Amino acid sequence: QVSRAKKVLIITGRGNNSPGQVSPVREAIQALFPLLRRRGVIAAWEEHTAGSFVVSLAPVSALLYAPRRKRDRSRGASPVAASLEGLEPSTLDLLRRLALRSLELLGARVPEKFLEAEMLSTFSSLAAGIPPGADGEQHLRDAIIAALDQLDT
């Protein structure tokens, strides 16, 4: 999503060497698609071949507006998402701009009043999809910039 790819090819294999000639990987991936759509990660999927799917990725901004379900909340937020402390000033500035833009689009009359909570919510939504590692904050900035671009178009 962050790299703005429109579609990806997911190769699961046909399951020719699996019991019953049914690929357990294919079944698991196919069962995951509805959850990924609810969470704003993918927009659609279709069978490409007997051993692959073509998946249309949702825009990054879809992550921000995906509804949270009770069972997702009960798993708890990632420890990274619990606080904005430790983020670089440039990342905080981008996050502030994105949160403010989101609140404005929702029609908030006094967006500054809700800004910190919206920043944390936005951060939590985006950080959940960022792989851990040394470049995590750069990936987060890229995701924020992509979301801002999509909201402005």
Side-chain angles (χ1 to χ4, degrees), residues 30-42:
Q30 196 166 12
L32 188 60
F33 288 150
L35 173 67
L36 292 174
R37 183 173 50 196
R38 267 194 314 276
R39 290 187 176 172
V41 176
I42 67 174

Side-chain angles (χ1 to χ4, degrees), residues 81-152:
S83 170
L84 301 176
E85 292 177 18
L87 292 177
E88 294 178 12
S90 61
T91 306
L92 284 172
D93 181 56
L94 285 169
L95 193 57
R96 180 178 305 281
R97 287 177 41 207
L98 179 57
L100 190 57
R101 183 73 179 112
S102 296
L103 288 168
E104 289 170 349
L105 287 172
L106 292 172
R109 292 187 182 194
V110 187
E112 292 80 17
K113 181 178 176 182
F114 306 103
L115 192 56
E116 187 174 336
E118 183 66 16
M119 286 175 67
L120 187 57
S121 174
T122 301
F123 174 66
S124 296
S125 295
L126 295 177
I130 303 296
D135 295 336
E137 192 158 349
Q138 181 59 50
H139 290 301
L140 177 63
R141 280 193 294 272
D142 293 343
I144 295 169
I145 290 167
L148 277 167
D149 288 347
Q150 290 167 0
L151 290 177
D152 289 338

